[in-house]
């Protein structure tokens, strides 16, 4: 007899393990554990209490407690845990205990005279995510429950549940990271737009290449001198072989990235500099490149600046004192602020653009040899403000070229934002003895980027939400429904679509006015939103037509309960302005995949069911049937 009971125990535990491997929804996972344990004849009830200290929430699942569960939940809401649960959580070395304590709010809720034994097992996912599983067995202590029900087996179940919960939370974290990656991609697109860089996408097998509209001119390396556009593009003879060599090396997988700067003759016959960066993003089964994407950017101005700076650096290295006038002339021709500063914060060179940004009260006299922090922010020592980090300190720390953001520029008190390119100035021995700083005002660029982001957010909101109620509109509803159908197909669950409209709403509009009707629709939308689960969607299609999408549906009774709650809450009177209005709603319900296996079909079925509900006299709901017969909640067979 004991062997049979032990076999039943192993069978129940194996069912739980299989469930943990396949379920990806937290609520369904916890409820499934309880259901699978109680289907075994060894156990009459099962309870899981899971605590998330990060959010301060508690998640529960139970099977077999019936009305007794309300009493247990009342204690749990007050923060009172059962003694058996507290014991396994507070004693790390004690994973599983038996309980028949009269003080236990879980194990002492059976009718008097019952001979049930409670078994409590700890679930420790992380220090902030933990809980316990309690099952009640039909075996009493006198029947040798401890020998039949192996404590180690229940401890392993607790560990397996903890592992599955960690897996679910890890997957949720991965979703958040994916969302952050999408935000990064959006910022990358804005950065490309601001830098005037173009995107290209090259299908290597077909030779087709896409370029973004702001960079229509690009090079066709195969033809050599003419791209798809109307203008000829000729690569400089000194650069052509290098371009092809670097490209082929990347295509063969010798480099992680394709990056090349080269010259192209423009339509005026001048040589323009371009920077191409890209990467093979797709290869076939033979590891041959299939697709390559990257950016194409005109860097002529940047190259000119780099060449000017290189000339400045060379002159400074060779003869700073003898060539100062010449260098001053060169940097004064630059429209951006340029300075050369030694490691003692003395200004060696400064152009007129930078002089114009100096603190007005300190601008008199020669700038040569004066401290940069004295001139710009009237300070008595080097800057240590995070708004305008010190470029000397940055070069000392990095010993290489760096970029800094200043707002205000070197603390000059003007509300502007500058991007600083800082390069180390080295002597013949390679030792750093100063810096070369080139700055550019990016205030307008940052403002435009912020405005673009705000505009995108507003446009998305307008395109996908109803302007009156704020609910998803028809476009977003179809997208949400499509996602729910895909998810249902993957998880082998059902989806319910409920079509609703307000009974006699036109009469309210005609008698009380459209302003009262609009306010009523807003109130109705708020009531509907309160009836939604986190995974559900309620949308307004127009007028007084609304629709619910309920995913993860297991049976018709669940849908009927929700529909009944909606009808009940809609019957509560509402005060709009000085009017007290009685309202009701009619609901048509269609089920996926039973009623239809595609999105348009299930919507049409729900609409037909709505008409049937109207025919029945309104203020009710109907399920769709091929003959459009009525189905009430209490007559449903409970299956989808």
């Amino acid at each position: 007899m004991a062997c049979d009971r032990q076999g039943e125990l192993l069978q129940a535990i194996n069912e739980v393990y299989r469930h943990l491997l396949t379920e990806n929804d937290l609520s369904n996972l916890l409820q499934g554990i309880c259901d699978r344990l109680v289907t075994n004849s060894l156990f009459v009830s099962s309870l899981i209490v899971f605590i998330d200290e990060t959010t301060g929430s508690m998640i529960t699942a139970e099977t077999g407690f019936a009305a007794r569960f309300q009493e247990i939940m009342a204690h749990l809401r007050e923060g009172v845990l059962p003694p058996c649960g507290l014991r396994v959580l507070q004693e790390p070395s004690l994973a599983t205990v038996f309980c028949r304590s009269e003080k236990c709010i879980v194990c002492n809720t059976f009718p008097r005279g019952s001979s049930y034994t409670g078994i409590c097992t700890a679930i420790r996912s992380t220090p902030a995510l933990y809980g316990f599983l309690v099952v009640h067995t039909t075996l009493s202590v006198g029947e040798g429950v401890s020998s039949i029900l192996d404590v180690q087996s229940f401890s392993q179940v607790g560990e397996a549940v903890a592992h599955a919960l960690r897996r679910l939370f890890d997957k949720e974290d991965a979703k958040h990271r994916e969302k952050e990656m999408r935000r990064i991609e959006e910022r990358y697109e804005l950065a490309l737009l601001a830098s005037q860089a173009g995107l290209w996408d090259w299908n290597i097998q077909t030779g087709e290449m896409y370029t973004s509209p702001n960079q229509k001119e690009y090079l066709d390396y195969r033809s050599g001198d003419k791209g798809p556009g109307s203008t000829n593009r000729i690569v400089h003879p000194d650069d052509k072989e290098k371009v092809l060599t670097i490209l082929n090396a990347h295509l063969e997988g010798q480099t992680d990235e394709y990056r090349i700067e080269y010259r192209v003759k423009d339509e005026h016959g001048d040589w323009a500099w371009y920077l191409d960066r890209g990467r093979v993003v797709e290869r076939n089964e033979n590891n041959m490149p299939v697709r390559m994407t990257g950016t194409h950017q005109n860097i002529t101005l940047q190259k000119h600046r780099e060449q000017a700076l290189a000339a400045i650096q060379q002159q400074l290295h060779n003869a700073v004192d003898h060539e100062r006038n010449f260098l001053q002339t060169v940097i004064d021709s630059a429209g951006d602020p340029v300075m050369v500063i030694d490691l003692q914060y003395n200004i060696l060179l400064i152009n007129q653009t930078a002089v114009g940004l100096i603190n007005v009260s300190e601008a008199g006299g020669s700038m040569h040899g004066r401290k940069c922090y004295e001139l710009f922010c009237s300070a008595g020592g080097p800057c240590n403000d995070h708004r305008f980090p010190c470029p000397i300190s940055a070069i000392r720390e990095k010993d290489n070229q760096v970029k800094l953001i200043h707002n205000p520029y070197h603390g000059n008190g003007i509300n502007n934002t500058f991007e600083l390119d800082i390069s180390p100035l080295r002597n013949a021995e390679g030792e750093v003895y100063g810096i070369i700083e080139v700055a550019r005002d990016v205030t307008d660029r940052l403002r435009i980027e912020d405005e673009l982001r705000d505009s995108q957010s507003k446009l998305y909101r307008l395109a996908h939400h109803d302007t009156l109620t704020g609910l998803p509109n028809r476009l977003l509803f179809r997208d949400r429904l499509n996602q729910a159908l895909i998810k249902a197909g993957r998880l082998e669950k059902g989806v319910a679509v409920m079509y609703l409209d307000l009974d006699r709403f036109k009469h309210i509009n005609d008698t009380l006015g459209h302003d009262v009707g609009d306010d009523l629709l807003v109130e109705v939308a708020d009531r509907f939103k309160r009836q939604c689960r986190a995974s559900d969607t309620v949308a307004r299609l127009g007028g007084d037509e609304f629709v619910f999408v309920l995913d993860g549906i297991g049976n018709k009774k669940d849908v009927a309960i929700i529909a009944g709650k909606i009808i009940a809450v809609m019957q509560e009177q509402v005060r709009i302005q000085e009017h007290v209005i009685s309202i009701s709603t009619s609901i048509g319900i269609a089920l996926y995949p039973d009623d239809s296996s595609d999105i348009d079909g299930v919507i049409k079925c729900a609409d037909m069911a709505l008409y049937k509900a109207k025919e029945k006299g309104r203020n009710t709901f109907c399920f769709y049937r091929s003959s459009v017969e009525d189905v009430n909640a209490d007559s449903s067979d409970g299956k989808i």
Side-chain angles (χ1 to χ4, degrees):
M1 184 66 175
C3 290
D4 292 341
R5 292 300 182 101
Q6 288 175 344
E8 292 179 22
L9 172 63
L10 289 176
Q11 181 181 358
I13 290 175
N14 286 334
E15 287 293 326
V16 170
Y17 286 164
R18 280 192 288 270
H19 175 65
L20 294 178
L21 291 173
T22 58
E23 184 57 60
N24 291 313
D25 180 79
L26 178 60
S27 299
N28 293 339
L29 184 137
L30 297 180
Q31 187 61 51
I33 295 170
C34 295
D35 293 343
R36 281 160 175 77
L37 289 173
V38 174
T39 55
N40 188 282
S41 62
L42 283 176
F43 308 113
V44 295
S45 59
S46 176
L47 169 70
I48 291 179
V49 177
F50 192 64
I51 300 168
D52 184 352
E53 288 192 350
T54 305
T55 61
S57 61
M58 178 183 293
I59 306 171
T60 62
E62 62 84 22
T63 302
F65 281 88
R68 296 178 291 120
F69 186 62
Q70 298 300 323
E71 179 184 355
I72 295 172
M73 282 303 299
H75 287 282
L76 294 176
R77 291 191 188 99
E78 295 176 359
V80 179
L81 298 179
C84 56
L86 282 174
R87 187 179 176 191
V88 296
L89 292 177
Q90 292 175 352
E91 300 181 30
S93 61
L94 193 62
T96 302
V97 298
F98 295 101
C99 178
R100 284 190 57 83
S101 171
E102 294 182 357
K103 297 180 180 180
C104 183
I105 60 174
V106 174
C107 301
N108 192 33
T109 57
F110 291 95
R112 291 188 176 275
S114 303
S115 58
Y116 299 130
T117 300
I119 307 169
C120 183
T121 300
I123 303 173
R124 297 185 178 93
S125 292
T126 68
L129 296 168
Y130 56 86
F132 53 87
L133 163 67
V134 180
V135 296
H136 296 103
T137 178
T138 55
L139 298 175
S140 65
V141 175
E143 294 177 285
V145 63
S146 60
S147 61
I148 295 175
L149 302 180
D150 184 9
V151 171
Q152 183 64 25
S153 297
F154 275 95
S155 300
Q156 291 173 353
V157 170
E159 292 174 0
V161 174
H163 176 76
L165 293 174
R166 282 194 297 271
R167 175 176 60 85
L168 287 184
F169 282 99
D170 289 343
K171 183 176 293 187
E172 188 66 25
D173 289 342
K175 290 181 180 178
H176 289 309
R177 288 194 296 271
E178 182 180 354
K179 185 176 181 181
E180 180 62 24
M181 285 300 297
R182 287 196 294 268
R183 285 197 291 265
I184 292 173
E185 289 176 358
E186 292 175 359
R187 289 194 289 268
Y188 178 65
E189 290 178 0
L190 291 174
L192 284 176
L193 181 62
S195 65
Q196 298 182 343
L199 290 173
W200 52 267
D201 191 336
W202 180 22
N203 186 322
I204 300 172
Q205 289 183 327
T206 65
E208 296 177 352
M209 182 180 286
Y210 163 82
T211 58
S212 53
N214 65 326
Q215 285 283 336
K216 291 186 179 298
E217 61 269 46
Y218 63 89
L219 300 179
D220 187 336
Y221 298 126
R222 297 159 303 148
S223 61
D225 61 359
K226 188 173 183 180
S230 60
T231 58
N232 291 333
R233 290 290 183 257
I234 301 176
V235 180
H236 195 287
D238 295 342
D239 298 338
K240 187 172 184 179
E241 183 176 353
K242 180 174 64 173
V243 169
L244 294 175
T245 299
I246 293 177
L247 175 62
N248 289 330
H250 180 67
L251 293 176
E252 293 171 2
Q254 299 176 16
T255 58
D256 294 332
E257 181 189 31
Y258 164 67
R259 188 184 190 282
I260 182 67
E261 295 179 4
Y262 59 94
R263 288 162 290 179
V264 177
K265 182 176 289 186
D266 61 21
E267 58 268 25
H268 304 296
D270 298 324
W271 293 106
W273 279 95
Y274 278 85
L275 167 63
D276 273 14
R277 300 185 66 176
R279 185 168 294 171
V280 172
V281 296
E282 184 178 349
R283 293 181 180 271
N284 61 20
E285 63 276 5
N286 297 322
N287 201 35
M288 297 299 293
V290 174
R291 181 184 172 204
M292 184 174 176
T293 62
T295 60
H296 183 63
Q297 183 178 9
N298 188 320
I299 59 169
T300 304
L301 181 59
Q302 177 183 336
K303 294 296 291 187
H304 289 168
R305 288 177 177 173
E306 290 175 358
Q307 291 165 1
L309 287 175
I312 292 172
Q313 287 179 329
Q314 187 63 41
Q315 293 294 334
L316 287 173
H317 287 170
N318 295 336
V320 173
D321 293 334
H322 299 289
E323 302 294 338
R324 182 172 302 278
N325 291 335
F326 171 74
L327 295 176
Q328 188 67 54
T329 302
V330 173
I331 65 172
D332 280 343
S333 66
D336 292 328
V338 179
M339 287 193 295
V340 179
I341 308 172
D342 67 18
L343 297 185
Q344 287 71 47
Y345 309 96
N346 299 309
I347 293 180
L348 303 179
L349 283 173
I350 182 170
N351 71 350
Q352 290 301 314
T353 305
V355 170
L357 296 172
I358 290 176
N359 190 315
V360 175
S361 63
E362 297 288 342
S366 173
M367 303 294 107
H368 180 68
R370 301 184 65 177
K371 303 293 185 183
C372 55
Y373 52 79
E374 293 176 351
L375 290 173
F376 284 96
C377 57
S378 303
C383 305
N384 59 1
D385 195 313
H386 70 278
R387 298 174 300 163
F388 42 93
C390 176
I392 300 292
S393 299
I395 286 294
R396 282 174 169 164
E397 180 181 351
K398 300 294 185 180
D399 195 37
N400 207 339
Q401 185 175 4
V402 295
K403 288 183 180 291
L404 300 175
I405 297 296
H406 273 201
N407 186 359
Y409 178 64
H410 283 283
N412 64 353
I414 303 173
N415 187 20
N416 53 10
T417 302
F418 275 79
E419 182 181 75
L420 280 58
D421 283 322
I422 315 297
S423 299
L425 189 61
R426 303 181 187 273
N427 59 20
E429 288 74 32
E431 298 172 344
V432 177
Y433 69 89
I435 65 165
I436 301 174
E437 174 190 305
V438 179
R440 61 190 61 86
D441 192 335
V442 295
T443 306
D444 291 338
R445 190 192 80 191
L446 296 177
R447 175 181 54 78
I448 292 172
E449 290 176 358
D450 289 340
E451 290 175 355
L452 285 173
R453 282 191 289 269
D454 291 343
S455 297
Q456 284 184 329
S457 177
K458 292 176 181 177
L459 287 174
Y460 181 86
R461 180 75 182 176
L462 289 173
H464 293 84
H465 290 81
D466 175 47
T467 55
L468 176 63
T469 64
L471 293 176
N473 61 12
R474 187 183 298 272
L475 178 64
L476 185 54
F477 152 68
R478 287 185 67 88
D479 179 69
R480 295 272 182 87
L481 177 56
N482 185 56
Q483 295 300 320
L485 298 187
I486 293 173
K487 178 181 176 182
R490 185 174 64 252
L491 301 180
E492 297 183 355
K493 295 287 185 179
V495 176
V497 176
M498 299 197 306
Y499 248 87
L500 308 87
D501 70 4
L502 303 184
D503 298 330
R504 301 179 179 87
F505 178 74
K506 183 177 184 300
H507 176 73
I508 295 174
N509 260 347
D510 294 343
T511 57
L512 302 181
H514 287 278
D515 55 337
V516 173
D518 287 347
D519 290 346
L520 177 60
L521 290 174
V522 172
E523 170 63 24
V524 167
D526 289 340
R527 292 187 180 185
F528 285 161
K529 284 188 285 188
R530 290 194 293 269
Q531 302 304 312
C532 272
R533 301 173 301 175
S535 60
D536 297 336
T537 295
V538 59
R540 182 189 177 207
L541 303 184
D544 62 333
E545 294 183 351
F546 297 83
V547 62
F548 274 77
V549 178
L550 312 177
D551 68 348
I553 296 301
N555 54 67
K556 277 185 178 177
K557 291 183 179 179
D558 292 343
V559 183
I561 290 172
I562 295 173
K565 289 182 179 180
I566 293 173
I567 288 177
V569 77
M570 288 299 294
Q571 290 175 339
E572 299 175 6
Q573 289 184 330
V574 58
R575 178 177 291 277
I576 303 296
Q577 299 177 15
E578 71 276 10
H579 307 287
V580 177
I581 303 173
S582 297
I583 57 175
S584 63
T585 185
S586 299
I587 305 174
I589 306 171
L591 304 173
Y592 169 88
D594 284 24
D595 297 333
S596 179
S597 60
D598 64 82
I599 185 171
D600 292 320
V602 75
I603 292 173
K604 182 177 179 181
C605 291
D607 191 32
M608 295 172 65
L610 173 61
Y611 278 104
K612 190 63 178 179
K614 290 287 189 180
E615 292 176 1
K616 289 181 62 177
R618 298 183 173 89
N619 194 29
T620 187
F621 65 90
C622 283
F623 284 87
Y624 172 80
R625 278 293 180 267
S626 58
S627 60
V628 200
E629 68 175 271
D630 302 339
V631 180
N632 294 322
D634 56 359
S635 65
S636 172
D637 59 7
K639 301 292 184 182
I640 290 182

